[in-house]
Amino acid sequence: MPITKVQPFIHEDDLAEGWKNRVLAHRLELLITSCIIVVITLTLGIGLGVGLSCVGKFRCGSSSQCISTLAQCDGVVHCDNEEDELGCVRLSGRSSVLQVQRKGEWKTVCSEDWNNWLGISACKQLGYSRYVESFFISLTSIEQDLQTTLVSINQSQSQVIKLQNAATFSKTQCSSGLVTTLKCLECGSRPQYNARIVGGNISKPGQFPWQVSLHYKSEHLCGGSIITSRWILTAAHCVYGFEDSSLWAVHVGLTEQLIHGAQSLTVESIIHHARYRPRGLNYDIALMKLARPLVFNGLVQPICLPNYGEEFMEGTMCWISGWGATEEDGETSVVLRSAMVPLISTKTCNQPEVYKGLISSLMICAGYLEGGIDSCQGDSGGPLACEDLSVWKLVGATSWGSGCALRNKPGVYTRITKSLSWIHKHMEKEEARSTPDLSKDN
């Protein structure tokens, strides 16, 4: 199957036209939405005397229902799909500091009264099926903005719960002087990679053990990244319009296409961001849930997701990898290729001679302004991986670009730190579905 239907790489002469099309598309959506809102507002206003404004409130995703932000993560379900009680836990900063949202406010969790049952609960709320361990670090060692609003959690019973359902105590200081950090997954390591083997851009076994090849109708179409034993992260444009999971297969642990011995797994479900549009460039992210868990063996390993608020500085050297074409409009590669590229600031990438203001806060650029090294067709959805303190983190997912390796046209990637809430909410929803009774550990 040709890859042009998921072609994210835009030619220079298409940029202006593409931008006009996106604006027109959004204007049409806005017009339709406005008409619907006016009709509904008039109807309800006449019949019920109520308005539909959600300004300053939380909107339930499955309906037009609005609830107070104080009702979000308060331990009581208000939305039909329970969305107001999802995404109430997050890991923040470089140290993976645990925070819980309680009545619409994020609070850093102190170490006192913490136990492993709470750790299991927190990991399940992040969408992980397992819990590794908790650590306690000094409050003064974490980012300043994480030190101000604090809470301790008390749950004496040995059961799995939602953290916002437990007894919480707001604090101005942690009495222990320590805060809780959490680890739900062993990730970001390369146990089978021999770093002494260097040279060339052909990847070695185990060098990128999180890299997957997504096959549609038995042909490589896109790349992706292993983020848990059941979840693959890729680009929305890879799967948009191709959501029939029975036509997809995920190939892991390979450096050459169709090599024997690599694991091939079927896909249970596909979720792309609801706000993604094929003519747009934002929200280019999707998740694939595997029908059965992966077996991690050194050649197949998950990459760590970054934490909320974590920043990756301009100039940081990261790696891109994939089976994409080695030149624009060329054939996809049989072998897994990789390259080291520096991160580029949004300010630089939005300059007139580069992408002319097209780069939003949901994107991150990486590459060389002089050209020569870049991702290309067939690399879509694959990882932009950066090493931080010997741990590899998924900073971006290959999204789009103008041509391949052209001057002033670096690769553009979906910025994962801006998509964490979306990722964890869907993982949490699926984890709760597989273990609906949170009072019992699986």
Side-chain angles (χ1 to χ4, degrees), residues 21-35:
N21 289 337
R22 287 192 296 278
V23 171
L24 290 174
H26 286 301
R27 285 177 62 187
L28 180 60
E29 292 172 3
L30 183 60
L31 179 61
I32 294 172
T33 303
S34 299
C35 291

Side-chain angles (χ1 to χ4, degrees), residues 20-171:
K20 291 177 183 177
N21 289 337
R22 287 192 296 278
V23 171
L24 290 174
H26 286 301
R27 285 177 62 187
L28 180 60
E29 292 172 3
L30 183 60
L31 179 61
I32 294 172
T33 303
S34 299
C35 291
I36 293 173
I37 289 175
V38 168
V39 171
I40 295 175
T41 302
L42 288 174
T43 302
L44 291 181
I46 293 172
L48 303 174
V50 296
L52 290 179
S53 174
C54 266
V55 176
K57 297 182 179 180
F58 177 82
R59 180 186 292 275
C60 300
S62 60
S63 66
S64 58
Q65 179 186 1
C66 305
I67 64 172
S68 168
T69 54
L70 294 178
Q72 188 180 1
C73 297
D74 66 349
V76 179
V77 174
H78 300 279
C79 296
D80 293 339
N81 63 354
E82 303 185 14
E83 185 182 7
D84 57 309
E85 296 300 312
L86 293 176
C88 301
V89 169
R90 73 185 184 189
L91 301 180
S92 297
R94 199 176 184 191
S95 300
S96 301
V97 174
L98 178 65
Q99 290 192 296
V100 61
Q101 188 177 181
R102 178 73 175 170
K103 296 185 178 181
E105 185 178 25
W106 285 103
K107 301 182 178 184
T108 297
V109 178
C110 295
S111 66
E112 47 262 30
D113 298 321
W114 187 256
N115 58 57
N116 284 336
W117 283 102
L118 291 174
I120 294 169
S121 301
C123 285
K124 285 189 175 296
Q125 284 187 258
L126 288 166
Y128 296 103
S129 60
R130 298 180 182 275
Y131 159 72
V132 178
E133 58 188 331
S134 302
F135 299 93
F136 304 122
I137 62 174
S138 170
L139 173 65
T140 57
S141 70
I142 64 176
E143 289 86 344
Q144 189 70 38
D145 60 334
L146 303 178
Q147 299 180 22
T148 53
T149 308
L150 307 169
V151 68
S152 65
I153 300 177
N154 185 283
Q155 177 68 21
S156 58
Q157 294 180 329
S158 298
Q159 62 179 1
V160 179
I161 59 165
K162 287 183 176 289
L163 293 195
Q164 67 269 29
N165 293 346
T168 58
F169 305 94
S170 296
K171 295 193 168 186

Side-chain angles (χ1 to χ4, degrees), residues 179-436:
V179 295
T180 305
T181 69
L182 190 67
K183 187 174 185 179
C184 301
L185 180 72
E186 295 286 0
C187 58
S189 65
R190 306 189 296 181
Q192 292 291 331
Y193 176 57
N194 186 347
R196 291 175 294 179
I197 304 175
V198 297
N201 64 352
I202 297 177
S203 303
K204 312 301 180 187
Q207 187 175 3
F208 305 105
W210 43 81
Q211 172 84 52
V212 305
S213 172
L214 303 182
H215 284 222
Y216 182 79
K217 293 184 177 179
S218 302
E219 289 191 30
H220 170 81
L221 191 66
C222 280
S225 301
I226 301 168
I227 56 172
T228 77
S229 63
R230 292 293 295 269
W231 290 101
I232 306 298
L233 189 148
T234 187
H237 75 258
C238 289
V239 301
Y240 189 89
F242 303 94
E243 289 95 343
D244 185 347
S245 59
S246 66
L247 300 178
W248 289 89
V250 176
H251 293 252
V252 301
L254 46 93
T255 54
E256 293 185 35
Q257 289 290 330
L258 305 179
I259 194 170
H260 296 293
Q263 296 183 60
S264 176
L265 294 99
T266 54
V267 178
E268 179 180 303
S269 59
I270 300 172
I271 307 165
H272 64 72
H273 200 293
R275 297 182 68 179
Y276 173 74
R277 296 292 181 269
R279 287 186 179 272
L281 299 175
N282 279 315
Y283 306 104
D284 192 10
I285 190 168
L287 290 169
M288 283 186 171
K289 186 179 183 183
L290 300 174
R292 59 183 176 86
L294 284 167
V295 177
F296 297 146
N297 58 15
L299 298 178
V300 178
Q301 296 286 138
I303 188 170
C304 296
L305 290 172
N307 298 319
Y308 178 82
E310 194 169 7
E311 295 185 4
F312 297 89
M313 304 303 295
E314 178 180 18
T316 299
M317 298 303 295
C318 302
W319 284 86
I320 52 176
S321 51
W323 289 272
T326 55
E327 59 183 8
E328 188 175 351
D329 298 323
E331 296 293 324
T332 54
S333 174
V334 174
V335 296
L336 178 64
R337 295 181 179 273
S338 58
M340 185 181 284
V341 292
L343 300 183
I344 301 174
S345 70
T346 299
K347 180 180 179 181
T348 297
C349 214
N350 266 330
Q351 290 178 354
E353 65 273 20
V354 189
Y355 283 124
K356 308 173 185 176
L358 287 175
I359 308 303
S360 75
S361 63
L362 303 178
M363 308 170 192
I364 187 169
C365 294
Y368 298 90
L369 294 182
E370 61 268 29
I373 298 176
D374 195 10
S375 48
C376 203
Q377 293 97 329
D379 290 324
S380 298
L384 172 66
C386 306
E387 189 179 18
D388 180 37
L389 299 177
S390 299
V391 174
W392 288 87
K393 297 181 178 181
L394 186 64
V395 174
T398 305
S399 182
W400 63 278
S402 177
C404 299
L406 300 180
R407 180 177 177 82
N408 282 330
K409 302 301 173 192
V412 186
Y413 303 80
T414 301
R415 189 185 290 265
I416 302 302
T417 53
K418 294 294 185 180
S419 303
L420 289 171
S421 176
W422 181 86
I423 294 167
H424 285 298
K425 279 183 180 180
H426 283 286
M427 286 171 52
E428 179 185 359
K429 193 183 300 183
E430 290 295 316
E431 181 63 25
R433 187 175 299 168
S434 62
T435 55

